[in-house]
Amino acid sequence: MRDVLSLYSEKVMEHFKNPRNVGEIENPDGIGHVGNPVCGDIMELYIKVKDEVIVDAKFKTFGCGAAIATSSMVTELVKGKTVEGALKISNHAVAEALGGLPPIKMHCSLLAEEALKSAIEDYLTKSKKGKARRHKENAKCKIQ
Amino acid sequence: MRRIYLDYAATTPTHPEVVKAMLPYFTDVFGNPSSIYSYGQEAKGAIEEARSKVADLIGAQSEELVFTSGGTEADNFAIKGVAYTNEHKGNHIITTPIEHHAGMETCKSLERRGVRVTYLPVDEHGLVDPDNVRRAITDKTILISVMHANNEMGTIEPIAEIGKIAREARIYFHTDAVQTVGHIPVDVNELGVDLLSMSAHKLYGPKGVGALYVRGGTKLLPFMHGGEQERRRRASTENVPGIVGFGRAIELAKQEMDEEAERLTYLRDQLIKGLLERIDHIRLNGHLTKRLLNNVNVSVDFVEGESMLLNLDLEGICASTGSACSSSSLEPSYVLLALGLSPELAHGSLRFTLGRENTSKDIDYVLEVLPKIVAKLRAMSPLLKSRR
């Protein structure tokens, strides 16, 4: 039983209160599905790609405040990026864009990074432009 | 913004009357109770007065009470104390998988030192079956430790029945009564316990003070070595203001118990009923009737607890969750998992624990706010879609 007030930065809370790009994309070009119910967070990321540029991204997330805020932020960060450029977005970049995360919540940003990579790989596989390299879901609940 | 505190099982505000009773013992009557001059003896008198008030509430003798730094210390003292004192007799402890961390981690620490611990199963409501206690007893069993009421999901255990079994088998019986003392009647003889843990800050007393009831004749090695305080059972200069506050809090709890019990039970039931009516795919955790009168614990499908808590906090409501999103393990409440809940449901749990300041208006407010929060979070939940 924990109190979570003031755990997060203003920016995290802002994205938590008003998450951007919630939902699904019809006929997406790539879907990333990562997480594990045992650990308490599951993230789905949908991307729409046009001419190798991510033109839209949406998410659905079951998880804590940090999981929701990082999902929201990652969708903001990828829009307008090339597929190659989006692959370079790290969990630290997501956390940084949110004004930082408590150390204990850094794993949530990793989930966002994994969801993004998984969605891009799904896109690359579908478009046969890359080799299928399935991302493994977190089987264990681990703080990264 | 209005602030509504619904986390009284975590801690309670110190009652103003309690603070008033404590204040002189910080300044005017600051003497060390072990000193023979009047300052010291006055402080000693105050401790003994508090001891008799606490003993009186639970049907014990004054000399059977040892003041501690709180419930955690009382649990450590009881469990380790019995284990160390009875090493020559046996090395088996019977407990449950739903004990507070204070009991659970103490048992685990003993396991690492070679003590065998049986964790009895609990049913879907969190109840221990006394027959299982009877069956678990071996000739090496030295202690049975079962909490009186669970802090998380509120189930009240059949302590008196287990007490009879323990007495027949002549095995020490400990209960953690941190959530019950001062809230519902607790009598050490009716319960048949040899050791009982209490904490002041759960009953509008100060933090940092509690007590362990030790039935007369129970052999227990000292928990702290040093001076001769607490009849040599717990060395350290007494926390005089804390102990005085504990005594005053107990006195107030006794005066107000019946009325408060009736009021809180009504509010609790109003909240449970309202939540089940207004939110679909929600379940009550813990026993419906054998339940702490101020505890509401629900699991909401498809949403995670911390995100509900944060949203409630934004609306001024303080509650808690069994989701472990901010702990180092990330695994959800072991108590809820022991009831057979799926990890998703354990992560989706919310606990409201009511107290002195709460009114019907608070309940109405939660019932107005929470369904909207759940709807908002469900709209972004990938779990909901996959179940459709």
Side-chain angles (χ1 to χ4, degrees):
Chain A
M1 299 277 155
R2 272 154 233 286
D3 188 351
V4 287
L5 178 68
S6 80
L7 183 64
Y8 297 122
S9 70
E10 264 177 52
K11 190 103 184 175
V12 172
M13 285 309 290
E14 208 277 306
H15 273 262
F16 173 73
K17 280 192 267 186
N18 305 300
R20 280 57 150 180
N21 310 309
V22 174
E24 297 167 29
I25 293 176
E26 266 185 57
N27 306 315
D29 295 311
I31 306 176
H33 183 110
V34 295
N36 181 325
V38 177
C39 317
D41 37 25
I42 297 172
M43 196 178 288
E44 272 181 12
L45 189 69
Y46 301 80
I47 52 169
K48 194 86 191 160
V49 182
K50 203 171 178 184
D51 301 329
E52 292 303 295
V53 172
I54 297 174
V55 292
D56 198 8
K58 285 193 187 301
F59 79 93
K60 281 204 152 183
T61 289
F62 165 87
C64 64
I68 289 170
T70 52
S71 303
S72 168
M73 181 51 85
V74 82
T75 56
E76 288 282 272
L77 290 179
V78 296
K79 275 206 252 180
K81 285 237 169 25
T82 61
V83 171
E84 278 305 308
L87 271 174
K88 287 183 192 136
I89 295 173
S90 71
N91 71 309
H92 291 283
V94 178
E96 214 166 283
L98 284 168
L101 283 172
I104 206 131
K105 294 287 185 178
M106 279 306 284
H107 69 278
C108 294
S109 63
L110 202 78
L111 199 73
E113 180 193 316
E114 283 174 1
L116 174 61
K117 296 216 159 110
S118 166
I120 292 174
E121 275 166 18
D122 183 48
Y123 159 72
L124 293 174
T125 310
K126 278 181 186 160
S127 60
K128 297 198 170 59
K129 284 176 183 169
K131 264 177 138 181
R133 190 161 56 86
R134 293 291 312 159
H135 247 268
K136 276 185 196 155
E137 290 183 7
N138 290 355
K140 276 190 195 150
C141 305
K142 207 167 51 173
I143 303 283
Q144 305 281 338
Chain B
M1 183 171 62
R2 61 191 290 195
R3 291 203 69 81
I4 298 175
Y5 185 73
L6 286 163
D7 203 14
Y8 283 88
T11 193
T12 61
T14 309
H15 195 295
E17 288 282 319
V18 170
V19 176
K20 207 169 119 193
M22 291 170 71
L23 284 176
Y25 294 90
F26 288 103
T27 50
D28 298 349
V29 195
F30 67 88
N32 189 320
S34 300
S35 306
I36 55 162
Y37 41 75
S38 56
Y39 275 163
Q41 288 308 300
E42 206 178 324
K44 188 163 182 62
I47 291 175
E48 293 318 313
E49 201 184 316
R51 198 188 307 277
S52 105
K53 285 174 190 166
V54 179
D56 179 56
L57 185 78
I58 61 167
Q61 302 296 316
S62 284
E63 59 271 22
E64 293 175 310
L65 275 184
V66 183
F67 285 116
T68 65
S69 64
T72 294
E73 184 188 317
D75 282 352
N76 271 264
F77 188 3
I79 298 169
K80 287 182 196 163
V82 169
Y84 296 162
T85 313
N86 296 282
E87 269 171 338
H88 60 289
K89 287 190 188 154
N91 65 344
H92 179 226
I93 293 175
I94 298 170
T95 186
T96 79
I98 58 164
E99 297 301 305
H100 185 272
H101 282 287
M104 176 70 82
E105 291 301 320
T106 303
C107 284
K108 282 188 184 164
S109 80
L110 291 171
E111 271 187 292
R112 289 190 286 271
R113 297 170 61 103
V115 172
R116 207 166 66 77
V117 181
T118 300
Y119 299 92
L120 298 170
V122 293
D123 71 9
E124 68 201 284
H125 307 298
L127 277 175
V128 171
D129 180 349
D131 281 338
N132 283 333
V133 178
R134 196 192 306 274
R135 281 192 282 267
I137 294 172
T138 73
D139 58 355
K140 294 284 181 205
T141 308
I142 50 173
L143 175 70
I144 299 167
S145 178
V146 178
M147 72 196 315
H148 191 191
N150 182 270
N151 50 303
E152 233 176 295
M153 45 70 188
T155 298
I156 299 173
E157 299 296 340
I159 297 302
E161 283 177 69
I162 299 169
K164 280 194 193 114
I165 295 166
R167 188 150 296 184
E168 279 166 24
R170 302 176 72 88
I171 294 168
Y172 287 127
F173 181 31
H174 166 247
T175 193
D176 176 333
V178 164
Q179 293 291 341
T180 51
V181 169
H183 300 285
I184 59 173
V186 173
D187 184 294
V188 291
N189 294 312
E190 278 171 27
L191 295 177
V193 294
D194 302 301
L195 300 140
L196 181 142
S197 304
M198 295 168 259
S199 172
H201 78 101
K202 307 288 192 187
L203 50 100
Y204 308 96
K207 292 169 184 65
V209 61
L212 179 67
Y213 158 78
V214 185
R215 184 175 292 279
T218 304
K219 288 199 179 72
L220 215 56
L221 290 171
F223 186 67
M224 294 225 261
H225 296 87
E228 300 197 350
Q229 294 89 354
E230 298 298 288
R231 298 160 69 91
R232 304 195 74 163
R233 288 185 141 154
R234 202 262 186 192
S236 179
T237 298
E238 298 89 339
N239 171 6
V240 182
I243 291 169
V244 168
F246 188 11
R248 183 70 181 121
I250 285 275
E251 207 170 35
L252 291 167
K254 190 179 178 181
Q255 282 167 19
E256 295 172 10
M257 195 186 291
D258 292 347
E259 204 179 313
E260 202 50 8
E262 195 181 330
R263 199 180 72 81
L264 290 177
T265 305
Y266 173 75
L267 292 180
R268 175 197 70 183
D269 292 345
Q270 202 187 3
L271 181 55
I272 293 175
K273 188 165 160 273
L275 289 173
L276 298 183
E277 276 172 9
R278 291 180 191 211
I279 299 172
D280 57 357
H281 296 286
I282 185 170
R283 55 164 280 168
L284 180 72
N285 297 319
H287 200 281
L288 187 60
T289 53
K290 292 171 186 165
R291 179 178 201 96
L292 284 173
L293 47 86
N294 72 336
N295 174 293
V296 177
N297 186 312
V298 289
S299 276
V300 184
D301 270 333
F302 318 124
V303 290
E304 191 273 338
E306 194 211 88
S307 53
M308 283 192 280
L309 276 197
L310 282 172
N311 275 303
L312 284 169
D313 188 46
L314 291 170
E315 303 290 342
I317 299 168
C318 308
S320 69
T321 175
S323 184
C325 235
S326 49
S327 84
S328 56
S329 80
L330 294 193
E331 273 162 31
S333 153
Y334 58 86
V335 172
L336 297 178
L337 294 179
L339 308 192
L341 260 69
S342 67
E344 291 100 312
L345 281 175
H347 278 295
S349 73
L350 271 184
R351 182 187 72 172
F352 301 99
T353 44
L354 285 57
R356 206 189 287 270
E357 296 293 320
N358 296 133
T359 63
S360 270
K361 276 189 181 157
D362 297 343
I363 305 302
D364 293 343
Y365 184 59
V366 173
L367 292 174
E368 181 198 319
V369 164
L370 187 60
K372 292 178 200 161
I373 292 172
V374 170
K376 181 185 169 190
L377 292 171
R378 279 181 176 167
M380 65 175 96
S381 172
L383 291 176
L384 189 54
K385 181 196 64 176
S386 60
R387 301 245 174 136
R388 265 178 193 157

